[in-house]
Every structure is written in structure tokens, then in C-alpha cells.
Amino acid sequence: MTISYTLDVSQTNLQSFLSLLFRWRGSVWKAVCGQLAVWTAVFLFISCVYRYFLSPTQQDVFEQLVRYFDNKLDANIPLTFLLGFFVSFVVARWGSILNGIGWIDDASLLFATYIRGADEETRVIRRNLVRYLVLSQALVLRDISMQVRKRFPTMDTLAASGLMTHEEMDILDHIKDPYSRYWTSIQWSLNLVYECQKKGTVESFYLMNKIVDEIGKFRHGLASLLKYDWVPVPLVYPQVIFLAVRIYFAICLIGRQFIVTGPNPSGIDLWLPITTMVQFLVYMGWMKVAEALLNPLGEDDDDLECNYIIDKNLITGLSIVDTMWKHDDTGYSMVEEHTTKTPSMKKDEFWGIDKIAPLYSMESAERSVHPLVGSASKINLVKNKKEIVMTPHKNKLSELDPSEQKTYLRRVNVSDHNAKHAKQRSIERANSPDKCLNKMRSRSNGKFRTSANGSQNGVDLWTRADSPPDDSSSHDSCSHSGSII
């Protein structure tokens, strides 16, 4: 789950600093403290052996080792130089992966604007164009991200989740490309756009090319993800960095011991090497940044929310093409039958559903996600107020006479806002994600019998069945009428 701390640093004061410093999840403390505790324990063990169990002759030999290992250690292993270049390289690579993961908003806006038609069949085309792009993204991510692979362990789960139909899955199964098949749904999208132009639903070749270019940009981003997965950072590079850091602090176990005997003892005997422990915290934390960002599509705290991106693209894309299109009497007709390689146009699994809830396997649904929601979006700044007064800025007020100032004065009642905010917070507290998932898990136990012909209790696996109404569903916000459980 991506760790968000943007709201905590909205002000540069001591409170913001402390709030940022003492976070645990995704923090340097969580990444390093366990290893620091082990290193400190080993250091103290060696110190005790040196002080209490070695003979004077052996202590002299040990003290010579201490001086040898500590001599020019920072010059011989330049950690700042090594880690600085490596982390800069990995962060740049991470940024490229983030930019290439694909956002469907631009393409959906073009679908909604340029593919004209108010009839149901044209809606099906626009929605299927969105679904095909999201399907191609899911096909790519399930091959390179364990998050998505756990959510969609088989192609059947992609179909059951509504991202593709049974017919489309059969077509994909017969694709002979041994390397990837994500391009297939991209090709379906391009075929649909061409047929739309051919029949007049898209008015000109220029507009068609605009849509095609946007689809190409989306595909290019997915292709870049495959390339980053195919060609990682050369193995020698991270090996050198990770070994150098660990060898440095292994040497420090002896080189930073306090000498308590002989002609040249340490000036002060603290037992614990405070400065070396600070070094450990900084350098190991720095290295952990690189380790986490080497594969940002994994399952660490700060890895990208791949499953959430799929959900966001699907929901946003379908919402745009259904609500952003302005009705007019175009009289355009739907595209005729496609080629044999293009699936027939059908209503998607989310047709008629206002609250789209993409499906996960029960195991992958347990992973928490950090949604693409503003860090300050849920903060209610007028909680204890009944109204707020709106006025021009003081610089403008000085230019207005009293009568003009009065005309600009506005009073805004915030009672409804506070009531809605309190109701939403109450619902969130009463129905936490973990609580809702546990309810869903308990309902799923023993509910279905899968038959040999691929149906559950006589229901087609690829059809989202409406749950029969009951008394509990009307009072349980965790229940949805579109659930098959």
C-alpha cells in the first residue's frame, strides 16, 4: 500500500516534522530498526568477549585489528558516492515506470467526445473500448506484478471479474503469440474505431486518428512496463551496492570497538558506538529506498497500487464515456458485424451498475490500498460552524468603498455539508473494509457448488447474478445487489 504523508507536511512547523518522523508503516524505522538491533547485539557481544574473555595478549591482537579495520574505512568504501548514484538511477527508473503504467482518462474523453450516438449500441461500443484498454493493462500487469497475479491467477478469473467475456477469452486462448497477448484487445479497440469511422459514428479520419494516437500512447506505456520487467538493472550494480553497505558495517563490528587497554585507549568508553549507529540508520535506510524502488510493482509498503489503478481506470473510463457524452439527434447507427477475429459487441458486466466494484480473489482482497484521493479531501474544516462568510481578499477590499464591500459579502450555510460529512464518517466507522471483507468471506463459505459444465448452482459463471432481496441487505452497507454471493 502506498504510504501517503502529504497532508502531514502541508505546513513547515515542528508538529509536521514530528508527525512525519514518527510514522511507522513505510518508514525508515520499520525498514532498518530490526537490522540495527541485530547489529547492535552482535557489537555488544564482541565487546563483552574482548573485555572479559580474552587474555591480555589476545586483547593486544584484537586492538591491532580494531585500528587496522578503522583506518581509512570511509575512504576505502565510499558509501556516499556509491549509494548516491545508485539511488538517483533507481528513482529515475521508478518515475518512468509510474508514468508508463497507464491512465485511461484522456482516451475515455476522446471516446466520449468523438464517437457520437445516443443509442444503446453506441454506448456498448464506447464502454467496450474502455474495457479493452483496461483488459490489456490487466494482461500486462498480471505478468509482471505479483499483486495483480494474485488477484487474477488464471484467465478465468479475468472473465469472472467482468474485464472480458467468455467469447473474448476463447479468442485469446487461440492466439499463437508465445510472448504476449495484451496487444489483442488493443487491436480490437482499433478495429472498433475504424468501423465507427467507416459507418459515420466518427465524423472524419482526422478524429479517428486522434483516437488511434491516444490508444497508441496507452499501449506504448504498457510496452515500456514490459521492457523494464524484461531488462532489469544489471545484476552486478545492485550486488556491488548491497554488498558494499553490508560489508562496511560488518567491518565496523570490529573497527568501531572502544579500546580499553594498552598504551592508546579510546578517549571515552561508551560501549555503544552512537555515531556508527546513526551511520547505520542513514546508509541502510538509503539502501532500503533503492531496494524498494528496484521493483515498484511488488508488494512492499511503498510499491505502486497496481490493482487500484486497474479499478480506477475501469470505473473512471466507464463513467466518462457514459456521462460526458452530450445527447444530440445525430441519427448515427451502430457498427455492423465485425471481422471474425473481433468479438461481438455485448453489454459489459457492469452495465446498469452505479457503484462499480471490480472483483478480487478473496486472498488478494485483503491487501490494503491507498486510493487516488486527495490527502486533504476528507478533512472537514467547518465541523463546528454553522456558516462561513465569504469576502474578497484584503488587498481588494482596500480598493472598494463600503457599499461595494457589502455587495460582495456572502454567507454560506454549512449545516448540510456537516451532516453529510458526519454521516459518511459514521458509515466508514461502522463498516470498515476488514469488517466488510470478513462478512463477505463468511457468506461465501458453502454457498456455491461448481458443476462440471462450469456453472455454479445452475448460474453461468460469466453472468453477474442479482442477489435476491432480503431484510439484511437493506441495512448492511457492505452488501451490494450486484453480488453473486
Side-chain angles (χ1 to χ4, degrees), residues 112-219:
T113 304
Y114 296 149
I115 301 178
R116 315 296 294 181
D119 56 286
E120 183 177 286
E121 291 178 292
T122 307
R123 280 186 63 200
V124 171
I125 283 189
R126 288 193 291 261
R127 291 171 68 93
N128 278 338
L129 283 170
V130 169
R131 185 168 57 82
Y132 286 158
L133 294 189
V134 177
L135 174 59
S136 66
Q137 186 178 50
L139 290 172
V140 169
L141 290 177
R142 72 185 293 270
D143 284 347
I144 62 178
S145 170
M146 282 303 298
Q147 292 180 45
V148 184
R149 194 71 179 187
K150 289 181 177 179
R151 179 182 180 182
F152 303 120
T154 66
M155 296 293 284
D156 300 83
T157 54
L158 276 170
S161 69
L163 290 182
M164 66 178 173
T165 65
H166 197 185
E167 177 190 1
E168 291 161 357
M169 188 179 72
D170 289 339
I171 294 175
L172 284 173
D173 286 340
H174 287 88
I175 298 296
K176 302 302 181 182
D177 189 342
Y179 303 108
S180 66
R181 293 176 289 180
Y182 82 96
W183 54 264
T184 308
S185 54
I186 298 291
Q187 183 63 56
W188 295 342
S189 300
L190 296 175
N191 288 347
L192 283 179
V193 173
Y194 177 76
E195 291 295 331
C196 285
Q197 199 286 322
K198 188 176 178 181
K199 294 297 182 179
T201 314
V202 176
E203 292 182 352
S204 67
F205 278 104
Y206 173 76
L207 297 182
M208 183 193 77
N209 288 333
K210 293 277 288 184
I211 298 175
V212 169
D213 288 344
E214 198 59 46
I215 294 175
K217 290 179 183 178
F218 191 84
R219 188 213 63 81

